Amino acid sequence: MWLWLFSLLLQLIGFLVLLVALLLVYRFKLRPTPPTVLLKKDWEKDVVYLCQFPLCPSVRSISPFALKLETWLKITGIKYENIHTMKFSSKGQIPYIELNGEQIPDSNIIIEKLKEKFQVDPDKDIPEADLAMGHAATVMIENHTAHIGFHYRYGHHMENFLKTLKLAEYYPSGKAIKNWGRVQPTMTRFRSWLHGIGRHENAEVWEMSFKDLAALSNWLGSKQYFLGSKPSTVDCMLFGHLAQFLFIDIGFPQKTFLETKCPNLVELVNRMKQELWTDWDESIEKARPKPSVN
């Protein structure tokens, strides 16, 4: 009798595992991809519609990739409009753009496509060896340093992060922000463990980011910008990411390190903000949702 029940239980478990596997295969391999629904229905030809999170105080965007991309659009002069949304792209990424009826996600892919489309390239006169350094810096920051920043703010200081940036006030749904605050720390710590940084003590992880920042500071030296006398793509990338450490006042150890050991990086961020973002505070408040009238 017990042997029969045990056999039946194993069969049921096997059936459930098979069912889950079939559902996953259907979900990711067999189910037709639904058509992309554009946020901007009445789009204008050759206008870039930048779809990104709603704005917030101090840092403007909690997405370093959105801040990088919008700064890049500013230095190229490409005409664009913001669409503030909580909706992710068809690939599950944000920011993304809509251009001539097409949705394009991923900030690095977007930049390359816009360079080709509009024949505008702030990097066109930069030597190949310098561009290679810029590429290496981008990979380091976006695949290592940024993850450490997310590990700090989401994994260990989520409540302070939400409170400092007043996201419940500046985003459409305060309830959704509170729910996000409950689940994100666990998700981030698990992701950090898979990434590898979550298997170390926090002090060791912060030290890893310090080495990244020191390397960038040594590379910049006394130059105003990394690859010339004007901002290039790599400067926009660094502005977007370093602003997260410098402008979100939640005790980032990276901010202390930048201010004490890498003043040239701090000056770079402040210089780009002053030269390219003269409407920084005004545009944030202008985009703030109006309080509902009951």
Side-chain angles (χ1 to χ4, degrees), residues 130 216-229 235 264-265 267-268 271:
D130 289 340
L216 291 171
S217 179
N218 288 332
W219 180 30
L220 177 61
S222 60
K223 302 190 297 292
Q224 282 203 324
Y225 298 103
F226 273 89
L227 299 177
S229 58
D235 296 293
N264 57 345
L265 294 180
E267 291 169 4
L268 170 72
R271 183 181 307 115

Coordinates of all heavy atoms in Angstrom, one line a residue, residues 130 216-229 235 264-265 267-268 271:
D130 N 41.2 54.9 -28.3 CA 40.5 55.6 -27.2 C 39.1 55.1 -27.1 O 38.5 54.9 -26.0 CB 40.5 57.1 -27.5 CG 41.9 57.7 -27.2 OD1 42.7 57.1 -26.5 OD2 42.1 58.8 -27.8
L216 N 38.9 54.8 -13.3 CA 38.3 55.9 -14.1 C 39.0 57.2 -13.8 O 39.3 58.0 -14.7 CB 36.8 56.0 -13.9 CG 35.9 54.8 -14.4 CD1 34.5 55.0 -13.9 CD2 36.0 54.8 -15.9
S217 N 39.2 57.5 -12.5 CA 39.8 58.8 -12.1 C 41.2 58.9 -12.7 O 41.6 60.0 -13.2 CB 39.8 58.9 -10.6 OG 40.4 60.1 -10.2
N218 N 42.0 57.8 -12.6 CA 43.3 57.8 -13.2 C 43.3 58.0 -14.7 O 44.2 58.7 -15.2 CB 44.0 56.5 -12.8 CG 44.4 56.4 -11.4 OD1 44.6 57.5 -10.7 ND2 44.4 55.2 -10.8
W219 N 42.3 57.5 -15.3 CA 42.2 57.6 -16.8 C 41.8 59.0 -17.2 O 42.4 59.6 -18.1 CB 41.2 56.6 -17.3 CG 40.9 56.7 -18.8 CD1 41.9 57.0 -19.8 CD2 39.7 56.4 -19.5 NE1 41.3 56.9 -21.0 CE2 40.0 56.5 -20.9 CE3 38.5 56.0 -19.1 CZ2 39.0 56.3 -21.9 CZ3 37.5 55.7 -20.1 CH2 37.8 55.9 -21.4
L220 N 40.9 59.6 -16.4 CA 40.5 61.0 -16.7 C 41.6 62.0 -16.5 O 41.9 62.9 -17.3 CB 39.3 61.4 -15.9 CG 38.8 62.8 -16.1 CD1 38.3 63.1 -17.5 CD2 37.6 63.1 -15.1
G221 N 42.3 61.8 -15.4 CA 43.4 62.7 -15.1 C 43.0 64.1 -14.9 O 42.0 64.4 -14.3
S222 N 43.7 65.0 -15.6 CA 43.3 66.5 -15.6 C 42.5 66.9 -16.7 O 42.2 68.1 -16.9 CB 44.6 67.3 -15.5 OG 45.4 67.0 -16.7
K223 N 42.0 66.0 -17.6 CA 41.2 66.3 -18.8 C 39.8 66.7 -18.3 O 39.3 66.3 -17.3 CB 41.1 65.1 -19.7 CG 42.5 64.6 -20.3 CD 42.3 63.6 -21.4 CE 41.5 62.4 -21.0 NZ 42.3 61.5 -20.0
Q224 N 39.2 67.6 -19.1 CA 37.8 68.0 -18.8 C 36.8 66.8 -19.1 O 35.8 66.6 -18.4 CB 37.4 69.2 -19.6 CG 38.0 70.5 -19.0 CD 37.1 71.7 -19.4 OE1 36.7 71.8 -20.5 NE2 37.0 72.7 -18.5
Y225 N 37.1 66.1 -20.2 CA 36.3 65.0 -20.6 C 37.2 63.8 -21.0 O 38.4 64.0 -21.3 CB 35.4 65.4 -21.8 CG 34.4 66.5 -21.5 CD1 34.7 67.8 -21.9 CD2 33.3 66.3 -20.7 CE1 33.8 68.9 -21.6 CE2 32.4 67.3 -20.4 CZ 32.7 68.6 -20.8 OH 31.8 69.6 -20.5
F226 N 36.6 62.7 -21.0 CA 37.4 61.5 -21.2 C 38.1 61.3 -22.5 O 39.3 60.9 -22.6 CB 36.6 60.2 -20.9 CG 36.5 59.9 -19.5 CD1 35.5 60.4 -18.7 CD2 37.4 59.0 -18.9 CE1 35.4 60.1 -17.3 CE2 37.4 58.7 -17.5 CZ 36.4 59.3 -16.7
L227 N 37.4 61.7 -23.6 CA 38.0 61.4 -24.9 C 38.2 62.7 -25.8 O 38.1 62.6 -27.0 CB 37.1 60.4 -25.6 CG 37.0 59.0 -24.9 CD1 36.1 58.1 -25.7 CD2 38.4 58.4 -24.8
G228 N 38.3 63.8 -25.2 CA 38.5 65.0 -26.0 C 38.1 66.3 -25.2 O 37.8 66.3 -24.0
S229 N 37.9 67.3 -26.0 CA 37.5 68.6 -25.4 C 36.0 68.8 -25.3 O 35.6 69.8 -24.7 CB 38.1 69.8 -26.3 OG 37.5 69.7 -27.6
D235 N 31.3 59.8 -21.8 CA 31.0 60.8 -20.7 C 29.5 60.8 -20.3 O 29.2 60.9 -19.1 CB 31.4 62.2 -21.2 CG 32.8 62.4 -21.5 OD1 33.6 62.4 -20.5 OD2 33.2 62.5 -22.7
N264 N 38.1 64.7 -9.6 CA 38.0 65.0 -11.0 C 36.7 64.4 -11.6 O 36.1 64.9 -12.5 CB 39.2 64.6 -11.8 CG 39.6 63.1 -11.6 OD1 39.1 62.4 -10.7 ND2 40.4 62.6 -12.5
L265 N 36.3 63.2 -11.0 CA 35.1 62.6 -11.5 C 33.9 63.4 -11.0 O 32.9 63.6 -11.7 CB 35.0 61.2 -11.0 CG 36.0 60.2 -11.6 CD1 35.7 58.8 -11.0 CD2 35.9 60.1 -13.1
E267 N 33.9 66.6 -10.4 CA 33.9 67.8 -11.3 C 33.3 67.5 -12.6 O 32.6 68.4 -13.2 CB 35.3 68.4 -11.4 CG 35.9 68.9 -10.1 CD 37.4 69.2 -10.2 OE1 37.9 69.0 -11.3 OE2 38.0 69.6 -9.1
L268 N 33.6 66.4 -13.2 CA 33.0 66.0 -14.5 C 31.5 66.0 -14.5 O 30.8 66.5 -15.3 CB 33.6 64.6 -14.9 CG 32.9 64.0 -16.2 CD1 33.3 64.7 -17.4 CD2 33.2 62.5 -16.3
R271 N 30.1 69.4 -14.0 CA 30.3 70.2 -15.3 C 29.2 69.8 -16.3 O 28.7 70.7 -16.9 CB 31.7 70.0 -15.8 CG 32.1 70.8 -17.1 CD 33.4 70.4 -17.6 NE 34.4 70.6 -16.5 CZ 35.2 69.6 -16.0 NH1 35.0 68.3 -16.5 NH2 36.0 69.8 -15.1

